[in-house]
Amino acid sequence: MCGELRAEDAGRRVKVAGWVDTRRDHGGLVFVDLRDHTGKVQLVLKASETAHELRNEFVVQAEGEIVARAPDAVNPNLPTGEVEVQVERLTILSRSAPLPFQLDEENVDETLRIRYRWLDLRTERMQRNIRLNHTAIAAIRRTMDERGFVDVWTPSMTRGTPEGARDFLVPVRLQPGKFYALAQSPQLFKQLCMIGGLDRYYQIATCWRDEDLRADRQFEFRQLDLELAFAEREDVLDVLEACVVAAFESAGRRPPERPFPRLAYADAMRRYGSDKPDLRFGLEIEDATEATRDSEFGVFRNAPCVRYLVVPRTLSRSEHARLEALAKEWGAKGLANLAQVSKFLSERELESFGVPEGSSGLFVADEEPVVAHVLGLLRLHLARELDLIDAEADVFHWVLDFPLFEHDEESGGWTFMHHPFTAPVAEDAERIESDPAHVRGQHYDLIWNGWELGSGSIRIHRTDVQQAVFRVMGMSEEEQQGKFGFLLEALAMGAPPHGGFAMGIDRFVALLAGEPDIRQVIAFPKIASGFDPLTGAPTPYPDPALRDLGIRLAEPPAQG
Ligand code: ASP
């Protein structure tokens, strides 16, 4: 209301309510900028006891006439700047204690902002972000509804769900010594919905994962979680693309063009050294493994993989040394600058490299994963340093055909790349147990400007295939039944083919809002240590309460 008054409203009477944003007491007249979520309007108050009492962030209600401001008093910086309200009745609805920070103060410490979130939420930035979160979710819900998806609520308290993180545990008073886990995702429930004939499921689902907090990670976060029966990969990708476009449109942004480009995992790793490449710029990784097979230069000849980046300018020795130091930090043995090693290379080798005059070739020779990792990071680093990234661009793309398994460093065996319910690519299914290293999964990720927005897959819908995957992961029959017996049973009772996806809503909205971290689009986030400065949680519990739960602490909780 406050922010909506315009010149054509002059002459009308209004009743407005909101917070005192600023106040200028001129003795005879008091000017107040009154703020609500729509914006600000200037109130003009005749001197009175109440008017002089006003302070910032008092909550007031004012009644009076909207009048046009004199031309020299118009404020072109305010949408309501052509008018003001001549107040006849003013009521103070609530007073405010002095504030720990001013709402227009810049660079307020973030912990302080979260500690006093009710104040921080009043700022324009947080109002915009929290409302954008709502707008985007509303657009997504409309899209899902139009496409016949059913919003099904699934339990938060469940068995551990293997999404690769630690579980948050919930003790149960009625069954001391036993614990529920907070769902890391609704993965198995949504699959059971498919088996239950709810063939288009979705949910804006809260997920809990006990991981270290980061810019794009909180203990609890929301996903657009969806699943379709009788669906192929393209059906799933189509729904997600429609949701992204709808959310962009709802935010008044030009949506990315559909279909989003698709990139195979192997190509992403080879060309960009990452499974979530930022495609707002080129700077592709080139391969020189074959060309250097018989090189005179031992570093190249003896390495299983040789790749390079072409930097579009020459580098001084010290610039190269700095980049090499970084490459070593990231795990490389060295970073060869073509200008310095060309004397060891043959004409044929030099001709095969595409390193034009005026540019530099930076080579890494090592095991393939090391080469990809280091050049992938170097690519990002150089793009930032050389200002190659178009900050206005929104590049969405899919990464497809991930390997089904990866090496588990802890056990030395195989573990899942996505989760253990992802189906193998049909032609690789026969080889699940005989050649797990080369089985591709029907797994796909959605990437926006180098950020992974979410993952999904076509699922296993046959008990024998599911058991083969569990076996590759080293699970005995007993373990399989103990952990996932209900799933194996359900798969054996008429499971349709199905697949789905989950997109991190908070991450998506943070990017949509141009915010550097998801805390800025979450109303009540936790800080990096996992602490909630607002409520003071987590807190110790008194011994009797723990005793009821069958819990005795091994050590007293740390103070603070
Ligand atoms: N459950 C997966 C996750 O939370 C997403 C999916 O496969 O649908 O990442």
Side-chain angles (χ1 to χ4, degrees):
M1 175 70 159
C2 289
E4 290 166 350
L5 305 182
R6 296 288 180 273
E8 52 276 21
D9 296 311
R12 276 203 310 116
R13 292 186 59 77
V14 277
K15 196 191 238 179
V16 283
W19 286 262
V20 174
D21 193 66
T22 48
R23 133 204 99 85
R24 293 171 301 282
D25 196 330
H26 288 207
L29 285 179
V30 178
F31 294 90
V32 163
D33 276 352
L34 189 71
R35 184 191 74 239
D36 67 12
H37 76 94
T38 60
K40 297 175 200 169
V41 68
Q42 175 162 289
L43 308 181
V44 186
L45 306 156
K46 290 211 197 73
S48 71
E49 216 173 284
T50 323
H52 291 309
E53 262 180 71
L54 293 179
R55 293 292 178 272
N56 283 4
E57 300 309 311
F58 275 29
V59 182
V60 302
Q61 188 174 58
E63 252 182 279
E65 189 184 330
I66 306 168
V67 296
R69 295 201 204 179
D72 59 344
V74 165
N75 179 351
N77 300 323
L78 213 59
T80 60
E82 288 181 279
V83 293
E84 57 196 14
V85 179
Q86 297 276 0
V87 177
E88 287 148 29
R89 267 182 67 184
L90 177 78
T91 318
I92 296 180
L93 299 175
S94 178
R95 285 157 202 274
S96 170
L99 305 181
F101 57 87
Q102 298 307 311
L103 300 197
D104 59 357
E105 212 172 306
E106 281 179 22
N107 303 323
V108 180
D109 172 63
E110 206 200 351
T111 303
L112 195 66
R113 285 175 52 208
I114 297 176
R115 162 76 179 83
Y116 295 97
R117 198 61 153 181
W118 59 86
L119 294 178
D120 193 40
L121 286 173
R122 290 182 204 162
T123 61
E124 213 184 310
R125 172 187 188 181
M126 289 306 293
Q127 285 282 318
R128 190 179 57 235
N129 289 353
I130 300 296
R131 286 168 196 280
L132 177 67
N133 209 323
H134 161 78
T135 311
I137 289 179
I140 288 171
R141 284 193 182 282
R142 273 196 302 279
T143 309
M144 298 307 282
D145 192 42
E146 278 161 19
R147 289 171 173 247
F149 282 81
V150 179
D151 181 349
V152 183
W153 183 48
T154 56
S156 316
M157 289 160 62
T158 179
R159 286 187 81 102
T161 33
E163 294 284 0
R166 285 199 174 86
D167 289 323
F168 277 104
L169 300 182
V170 183
V172 182
R173 182 183 50 83
L174 295 177
Q175 305 207 20
K178 291 192 182 162
F179 299 85
Y180 277 104
L182 292 179
Q184 289 191 34
S185 84
Q187 183 61 36
L188 291 179
F189 291 108
K190 67 177 172 175
Q191 291 191 236
L192 295 178
C193 284
M194 298 302 106
I195 301 173
L198 293 162
D199 59 347
R200 291 192 152 215
Y201 145 97
Y202 92 103
Q203 191 180 180
I204 304 295
T206 304
C207 304
W208 291 266
R209 297 185 190 177
D210 184 358
E211 297 176 294
D212 291 343
L213 280 69
R214 290 196 315 222
D216 61 349
R217 222 189 246 166
Q218 285 271 306
F219 287 154
E220 44 190 327
F221 58 91
R222 287 180 305 169
Q223 291 185 338
L224 162 63
D225 194 49
L226 59 91
E227 197 76 11
L228 294 81
F230 307 107
E232 293 179 3
R233 182 175 77 194
E234 284 303 315
D235 301 310
V236 183
L237 306 193
D238 177 61
V239 182
L240 263 299
E241 291 189 3
C243 286
V244 167
V245 166
F248 262 71
E249 283 170 349
S250 75
R253 291 265 300 270
R254 194 159 64 89
E257 262 181 48
R258 297 189 54 194
F260 303 166
R262 281 118 167 94
L263 192 64
Y265 169 85
D267 290 336
M269 294 307 288
R270 191 182 47 72
R271 290 164 59 189
Y272 306 104
S274 165
D275 60 0
K276 47 177 176 9
D278 188 341
L279 300 188
R280 285 175 296 174
F281 59 96
L283 205 65
E284 280 191 30
I285 298 169
E286 309 289 339
D287 196 273
T289 311
E290 280 316 307
T292 56
R293 230 345 93 246
D294 307 314
S295 184
E296 296 284 298
F297 187 38
V299 174
F300 285 0
R301 188 182 59 244
N302 299 327
C305 177
V306 182
R307 291 183 188 157
Y308 62 101
L309 279 171
V310 182
V311 187
R313 65 183 193 72
T314 51
L315 296 171
S316 68
R317 271 186 185 272
S318 68
E319 282 174 322
H320 170 238
R322 243 185 324 112
L323 294 174
E324 182 161 39
L326 280 177
K328 284 183 175 166
E329 248 173 58
W330 296 327
K333 293 191 193 78
L335 180 72
N337 185 355
L338 186 61
Q340 286 159 26
V341 300
S342 58
K343 52 183 178 286
F344 305 118
L345 301 169
S346 68
E347 264 317 295
R348 199 179 55 80
E349 280 173 289
L350 292 173
E351 268 167 27
S352 73
F353 306 149
V355 184
E357 244 346 77
S359 50
S360 313
L362 295 178
F363 286 68
V364 177
D366 213 311
E367 299 288 338
E368 200 211 324
V370 177
V371 174
H373 174 71
V374 172
L375 287 179
L377 290 176
L378 188 62
R379 175 178 176 267
L380 286 176
H381 176 84
L382 287 168
R384 280 192 289 267
E385 262 204 351
L386 303 177
D387 206 13
L388 302 179
I389 303 175
D390 175 0
E392 299 295 304
D394 290 306
V395 182
F396 282 80
H397 67 95
W398 297 101
V399 177
L400 314 169
D401 294 337
F402 281 75
L404 192 59
F405 300 107
E406 64 183 348
H407 266 293
D408 183 7
E409 280 173 16
E410 240 171 72
S411 70
W414 294 103
T415 183
F416 51 85
M417 183 100 176
H418 178 208
H419 52 51
F421 317 111
T422 297
V425 167
E427 62 262 34
D428 297 354
E430 291 298 303
R431 291 183 280 137
I432 292 181
E433 290 184 90
S434 58
D435 186 15
H438 296 107
V439 178
R440 287 163 300 163
Q442 297 198 53
H443 162 190
Y444 29 82
D445 278 0
L446 177 59
I447 316 296
W448 177 7
N449 293 350
W451 289 78
E452 184 198 315
L453 289 181
S455 294
S457 57
I458 297 298
R459 325 296 185 190
I460 296 167
H461 71 282
R462 277 177 31 196
T463 318
D464 57 337
V465 180
Q466 186 63 71
Q467 289 202 287
V469 166
F470 285 153
R471 276 195 298 273
V472 172
M473 287 166 43
M475 282 172 76
S476 68
E477 178 74 26
E478 237 175 24
E479 261 181 284
Q480 295 178 27
Q481 292 301 338
K483 283 190 183 152
F484 300 113
F486 66 99
L487 173 71
L488 294 171
E489 247 182 328
L491 289 177
M493 294 186 192
H498 58 284
F501 198 85
M503 176 171 89
I505 293 274
D506 310 299
R507 194 176 294 186
F508 177 64
V509 174
L511 286 168
L512 204 56
E515 286 288 1
D517 64 67
I518 63 172
R519 295 187 299 276
Q520 310 309 331
V521 297
I522 295 176
F524 301 105
K526 296 178 179 46
I527 58 171
S529 59
F531 177 64
D532 172 10
L534 195 161
T535 64
T539 59
Y541 261 71
D543 279 345
L546 294 182
R547 218 174 301 127
D548 281 350
L549 297 167
I551 294 176
R552 203 172 51 227
L553 296 182
E555 284 167 31
Q559 295 300 310

